[in-house]
Amino acid sequence: MFFNQSEIMKNQNIKYSVSRLFSHAIIAVITVILVIFSVMIILHNHYSLEKQLNMQLNRNASLAVITLPTAVWAIDMLLIHNFFDAVFTDEAVVFVEIMYPEQGVPNVEKSLSVKKRSDFKDKEFSFFKKSSRFIVKETDIEMEGRKVGILQIAMSRDAIRRQLIFNIASVATMMFFIIAAISLTSFWVTRQYISRPLMKLADSARQIAGGNLDIPVSSDREDEIGSLAQDFNVMRESVRQANKKIEEQNKHLEKEAEKRRELEHIINQSPVVVFLWKNDPGWSVEYVSESVSQFGYTPDDFISGRVPYAGIVFPDDLSRVGEEVGRYSREKRLEFEQKYRIINRSGDVRWTEDKTWIRYDGQGNITHYQGIVTDVTPRKEKEELEKTYKARLEKDVEERTRELSETLESLKAAQNELIQSEKMAALGQLIAGVAHEINTPLGAIRASVGNISDSLNETLEQMPRLFKILSEEEYRNFSALTERALQSRNIFSAKEERKMKRTLTGILEGYDIDDAGSFADTLTDMGVYDNIELFLPLFRHTESAFILKTAYNLSGLRRGSRNIATAADRASKVVFALKSYARFDHSGEKTNSDLTEGIETVLTLYHNQLKQGIEVIRSFEKLPLIPCYPDELNQVWTNIIHNAVQAMDGKGTLEIEISQKDSDAAVRFTDSGKGIPDEIKQRIFEPFFTTKAAGEGSGLGLHIVKKIIDKHNGKIEIESRPGKTVLCVFIPMSL
């Protein structure tokens, strides 16, 4: 229309320039080749280093299999440590441990010796097995076909990673310089022959964009850029012609816009809202005045269709409004009025009056509805309020009072049921532990009675024969042997017992005692480990095996009696603790009580859970009796100790301290569990709040604790971090 057709045709034979794309393609191809080559080198190097590290691990394991069997069997710690030192000369080795089988317990091993790098001093072998940073190996150490130990060794891959990072950095640096050289060359060529001409062309284009249409674009070149410059000149002339027409149209539109702005200003200042709807099923809006903002909407909400007008009409009024509009339209009315409710942006309901005019086209068909909507809510509310206020107020007060009374009674009943449920749950946990604590000494008593019975029957049969074969001197030695066995109360580990048996076997063999190994086993079981010279005549006797067996049975009678007494005492303590815990004072009044006794009662009942791996440290200051509800405080100690055991997963340290702080008795519980996160610390006393899995807790334990302490006019303080949680209960020492 404004273009020179001959100039357009003149430039139709221009070929597409590929110089810059070719440069980019060369750079891309070279980059891909370099990346593939570099990756192959790096992978090959990584494979070689990994293989070398595995070979070193296998050599260390093979060395242990050759050198350590005798040392592990004899528990030669010097030789084992020398082996560790030799292995740790390799910087890649971070962990070495020797395990040995537990005697009499299949598939259970204990650590004989371990050495770790300082960075991993708190890590176990399972950590290295799970981590990809290490390679590990477990090797059985055998002696004469029998497994005497297990070697566990871990080596770090950090050296491989450092070498890999160095290789990647070196290759990346080389690639960077190669690509940089290619890029600079391509950049110089592109800048010299393409960029600079285009910059000149862009400068001319900016002048045209800025409105300077009088300066032509330089077009002295005969390539693609020159052709583009000619096209810019054609465009410049076309824009000049178009600008003239646009200026004329803008002047006309400005006059029309000014009139429209004046009219809209008048409409928008009015308290009414002006709408223009199309005659379609959705009542789509073509115009709405700014005053619609009084309902929280914008004109664009309706014009864009995001908010259909039917969508803001109150649902109970919508069908009526639609029926009325349909009826008035069928009656060919020119205008009509309606009253209905609409919902504003915030969700409030507003009463409105709608004055609507119907527009028809030349054939009598309805095209639009033009309405004026007025908010009459204050007036309508006043009318409704005057009619219903008194009746509704009386009815609402009566219903609300009844509902609150019923709700309060339901809440009280539910709270009592939940508290009782929590108490029963705690009692159930205690009974399970108590049953175990009572069954354990009962089992010990039954076992001891059986052993005593067997030993007594056998001993009664053997005593006449023993008196016949022993001289007076030998009988005194026999009595001394049994007395020594009865006096022994030492308890040694399996490792210590094995060492003592080996030592005792060597001593007996040194005295040329036949069957020294069997004698050493029996003497060790009797608790006779040293100073056996007095008993050598008995061991050399022709009936030595019979004499030693009889001495073993006699000492067993005394040991069994002692075990029965110990078990009976333990069972008595547990029953007394259960009786104290189960006691309930129905008087509802405070009694003077000893806090230490209550805590010791709970600790006794929890002994089964605590003895599995929790060390209890007591620090009890002697305090006078304090007025309290001892039964309820026992429930406090139960909940706190139970939570501490769970927080430590059954392993750790529980410190309990009783002291006086000012006029309060302070009971401090410190556990080594995982701690309480800061974000939930303020919520732990809320009812039903729990961090435990479903079925493991109701969330009422600490809530009940807080209510009991409040009932005593006391307070609870908590400090917690991972590995240490301190809960301190303060109870007034006087009324």
Side-chain angles (χ1 to χ4, degrees):
M1 178 164 62
F2 301 109
F3 296 95
N4 189 322
Q5 188 67 23
S6 62
E7 290 185 2
I8 295 176
M9 295 297 295
K10 177 180 174 183
N11 294 319
Q12 285 182 348
N13 295 325
I14 296 176
K15 295 183 178 180
Y16 183 73
S17 177
V18 296
S19 58
R20 190 166 187 178
L21 293 178
F22 180 75
S23 299
H24 291 170
I26 290 295
I27 295 172
V29 170
I30 293 176
T31 301
V32 170
I33 293 173
L34 289 174
V35 168
I36 294 174
F37 180 71
S38 301
V39 169
M40 291 176 63
I41 293 176
I42 291 171
L43 290 178
H44 176 73
N45 192 12
H46 179 265
Y47 172 77
S48 299
L49 292 173
E50 184 75 16
K51 182 177 180 181
Q52 181 180 354
L53 189 64
N54 274 283
M55 290 175 62
Q56 182 61 32
L57 179 65
N58 291 329
R59 283 197 296 269
N60 289 333
S62 299
L63 180 61
V65 170
I66 295 172
T67 61
L68 290 182
T70 302
V72 173
W73 172 255
I75 314 180
D76 189 344
M77 301 307 297
L78 177 60
L79 183 55
I80 292 174
H81 290 162
N82 289 339
F83 171 77
F84 284 179
D85 293 340
V87 171
F88 265 74
T89 57
D90 186 347
E91 295 182 354
V93 177
V94 297
F95 178 93
V96 180
E97 183 173 18
I98 301 295
M99 308 288 290
Y100 70 93
E102 175 70 13
Q103 184 175 5
V105 183
N107 299 322
V108 175
E109 289 81 23
K110 286 190 175 182
S111 177
L112 178 60
S113 182
V114 63
K115 185 170 184 179
K116 310 174 186 178
R117 295 290 181 187
S118 58
D119 295 342
F120 307 98
K121 60 183 180 180
D122 59 343
K123 304 299 183 183
E124 299 299 331
F125 187 65
S126 58
F127 165 79
F128 300 99
K129 290 178 67 176
K130 296 177 182 178
S131 176
S132 62
R133 289 179 52 199
F134 309 93
I135 60 173
V136 300
K137 189 174 183 68
E138 286 186 281
T139 301
D140 291 342
I141 301 174
E142 298 182 350
M143 182 175 180
E144 296 179 355
R146 177 184 177 186
K147 184 170 76 173
V148 297
I150 298 175
L151 171 70
Q152 296 178 340
I153 183 167
M155 299 182 71
S156 172
R157 286 192 173 97
D158 288 346
I160 295 177
R161 294 188 178 185
R162 290 193 296 270
Q163 183 63 38
L164 184 61
I165 293 171
F166 174 77
N167 292 342
I168 292 173
S170 301
V171 171
T173 303
M174 179 185 69
M175 289 177 58
F176 171 77
F177 283 111
I178 293 174
I179 295 172
I182 296 173
S183 300
L184 289 174
T185 302
S186 175
F187 174 77
W188 181 84
V189 173
T190 303
R191 179 179 177 84
Q192 185 69 23
Y193 295 101
I194 299 176
S195 299
R196 287 183 178 177
L198 286 177
M199 290 296 293
K200 293 180 180 180
L201 187 61
D203 183 61
S204 299
R206 282 193 294 271
Q207 293 189 30
I208 294 174
N212 188 357
L213 302 175
D214 298 326
I215 300 176
V217 179
S218 176
S219 58
D220 55 350
R221 296 180 55 157
E222 297 181 356
D223 54 8
E224 297 93 332
I225 296 177
S227 176
L228 182 61
Q230 293 177 12
D231 290 341
F232 263 95
N233 285 328
V234 174
M235 181 187 67
R236 179 181 60 81
E237 185 61 30
S238 298
V239 172
R240 181 186 295 179
Q241 296 297 328
N243 280 346
K244 291 182 180 180
K245 291 188 176 183
I246 292 173
E247 288 177 0
E248 294 175 358
Q249 293 177 355
N250 283 343
K251 290 179 181 179
H252 176 73
L253 293 175
E254 184 63 32
K255 293 179 181 179
E256 294 295 328
E258 184 63 29
K259 294 179 182 179
R260 183 181 180 87
R261 285 195 294 270
E262 291 177 0
L263 179 60
E264 287 185 350
H265 179 72
I266 294 172
I267 295 174
N268 292 333
Q269 293 300 314
S270 172
V272 300
V273 181
V274 178
F275 277 94
L276 181 63
W277 299 277
K278 287 184 66 176
N279 182 26
D280 57 27
W283 300 354
S284 57
V285 178
E286 288 192 354
Y287 174 81
V288 60
S289 61
E290 294 284 349
S291 52
V292 75
S293 61
Q294 64 186 288
F295 299 120
Y297 301 104
T298 64
D300 188 59
D301 289 337
F302 297 97
I303 296 172
S304 65
R306 289 195 303 270
V307 181
Y309 191 80
I312 69 170
V313 177
F314 193 71
D316 292 348
D317 298 342
L318 183 59
S319 61
R320 175 180 60 82
V321 172
E323 291 173 358
E324 290 177 354
V325 172
R327 185 174 72 253
Y328 298 149
S329 299
R330 290 190 298 272
E331 294 173 358
K332 296 295 183 180
R333 292 195 183 187
L334 296 178
E335 60 183 61
F336 57 87
E337 294 183 0
Q338 292 176 290
K339 291 183 180 180
Y340 54 87
R341 292 165 289 181
I342 66 172
I343 304 173
N344 64 13
R345 174 78 74 177
S346 61
D348 297 330
V349 178
R350 309 294 295 178
W351 277 97
T352 61
E353 289 184 353
D354 184 352
K355 174 75 172 180
T356 302
W357 289 267
I358 304 178
R359 289 186 182 181
Y360 299 90
D361 61 13
Q363 288 75 36
N365 298 318
I366 298 175
T367 60
H368 294 81
Y369 296 91
Q370 179 178 331
I372 298 176
V373 179
T374 305
D375 186 354
V376 295
T377 302
R379 186 182 69 196
K380 190 69 176 178
E381 289 177 346
K382 184 177 179 181
E383 293 173 357
E384 293 293 329
L385 189 63
E386 290 174 352
K387 287 190 289 184
T388 61
Y389 178 74
K390 185 175 181 180
R392 285 188 61 184
L393 181 61
E394 293 176 354
K395 183 178 179 180
D396 289 348
V397 169
E398 181 181 352
E399 292 181 353
R400 189 61 176 166
T401 301
R402 185 178 66 255
E403 291 175 358
L404 289 175
S405 299
E406 294 174 354
T407 302
L408 182 60
E409 292 301 321
S410 298
L411 288 175
K412 288 181 178 179
Q415 184 183 37
N416 291 334
E417 291 178 3
L418 288 172
I419 291 176
Q420 184 64 24
S421 175
E422 184 71 15
K423 290 179 179 179
M424 293 303 295
L427 183 58
Q429 294 167 352
L430 286 175
I431 288 175
V434 168
H436 182 84
E437 284 298 296
I438 293 177
N439 284 335
T440 299
L442 289 178
I445 291 172
R446 285 195 297 268
S448 297
V449 168
N451 292 336
I452 289 174
S453 177
D454 294 340
S455 297
L456 182 60
N457 291 334
E458 188 175 352
T459 302
L460 290 175
E461 294 176 357
Q462 295 169 345
M463 290 304 293
R465 178 184 172 191
L466 181 70
F467 293 146
K468 290 181 180 180
I469 64 175
L470 291 181
S471 65
E472 184 177 349
E473 180 66 23
E474 289 171 339
Y475 184 76
R476 283 196 295 271
N477 293 339
F478 176 83
S479 299
L481 177 61
T482 56
E483 186 63 29
R484 172 84 68 83
L486 294 175
Q487 293 174 356
S488 176
R489 292 178 178 269
N490 296 327
I491 298 176
F492 298 101
S493 66
K495 177 181 176 182
E496 291 172 330
E497 284 192 357
R498 287 198 304 271
K499 187 174 181 180
M500 290 179 180
K501 287 179 181 179
R502 287 196 296 268
T503 303
L504 194 55
T505 300
I507 295 173
L508 291 172
E509 289 176 347
Y511 287 111
D512 296 326
I513 302 299
D514 295 334
D515 200 8
S518 176
F519 279 25
D521 286 343
T522 303
L523 290 172
T524 302
D525 292 339
M526 292 172 63
V528 179
Y529 303 100
D530 52 11
N531 299 325
I532 63 172
E533 290 77 8
L534 177 64
F535 314 122
L536 290 177
L538 297 176
F539 301 154
R540 293 192 179 103
H541 197 281
T542 56
E543 297 287 343
S544 58
F546 169 74
I547 295 171
L548 188 59
K549 179 65 180 297
T550 305
Y552 176 80
N553 289 337
L554 284 174
S555 63
L557 292 174
R558 290 287 297 274
R559 284 195 303 272
S561 300
R562 191 166 58 208
N563 290 340
I564 290 173
T566 302
D569 182 62
R570 177 60 188 165
S572 175
K573 289 182 179 179
V574 173
V575 172
F576 178 78
L578 183 60
K579 179 180 177 181
S580 300
Y581 182 82
R583 181 187 60 204
F584 183 74
D585 185 3
H586 294 275
S587 67
E589 297 181 357
K590 290 184 177 181
T591 59
N592 292 327
S593 178
D594 187 351
L595 295 181
T596 302
E597 290 183 359
I599 293 175
E600 287 291 0
T601 295
V602 176
L603 288 176
T604 299
L605 297 178
Y606 267 94
H607 181 260
N608 183 55
Q609 290 93 326
L610 298 172
K611 71 181 181 180
Q612 302 300 326
I614 296 178
E615 179 186 4
V616 180
I617 301 176
R618 297 170 172 83
S619 178
F620 296 163
E621 180 181 327
K622 184 63 176 178
L623 297 181
L625 302 181
I626 66 171
C628 63
Y629 303 100
D631 309 330
E632 297 184 10
L633 285 182
N634 282 347
Q635 187 174 356
V636 171
W637 315 140
T638 299
N639 277 293
I640 294 175
I641 292 174
H642 180 72
N643 287 343
V645 171
Q646 288 189 327
M648 294 185 288
D649 294 327
K651 303 290 183 182
T653 302
L654 175 61
E655 300 181 28
I656 306 176
E657 177 185 351
I658 301 178
S659 61
Q660 181 174 348
K661 185 175 182 181
D662 299 330
S663 60
D664 293 335
V667 184
R668 182 186 302 270
F669 297 85
T670 304
D671 68 69
S672 60
K674 48 185 171 289
I676 305 171
D678 293 338
E679 58 268 20
I680 67 170
K681 191 181 297 182
Q682 300 301 321
R683 301 189 59 196
I684 61 175
F685 295 111
E686 295 179 7
F688 308 112
F689 177 78
T690 179
T691 59
K692 301 173 184 176
E696 293 185 7
S698 64
L700 286 175
L702 288 178
H703 173 66
I704 294 174
V705 168
K706 182 69 165 57
K707 290 178 67 66
I708 293 174
I709 299 305
D710 290 343
K711 184 177 180 180
H712 285 78
N713 297 318
K715 63 180 180 178
I716 303 177
E717 294 180 355
I718 294 181
E719 297 178 3
S720 182
R721 65 174 187 271
K724 183 177 182 181
T725 297
V726 180
L727 189 148
C728 193
V729 177
F730 297 92
I731 301 174
M733 298 181 64
S734 59
L735 294 174

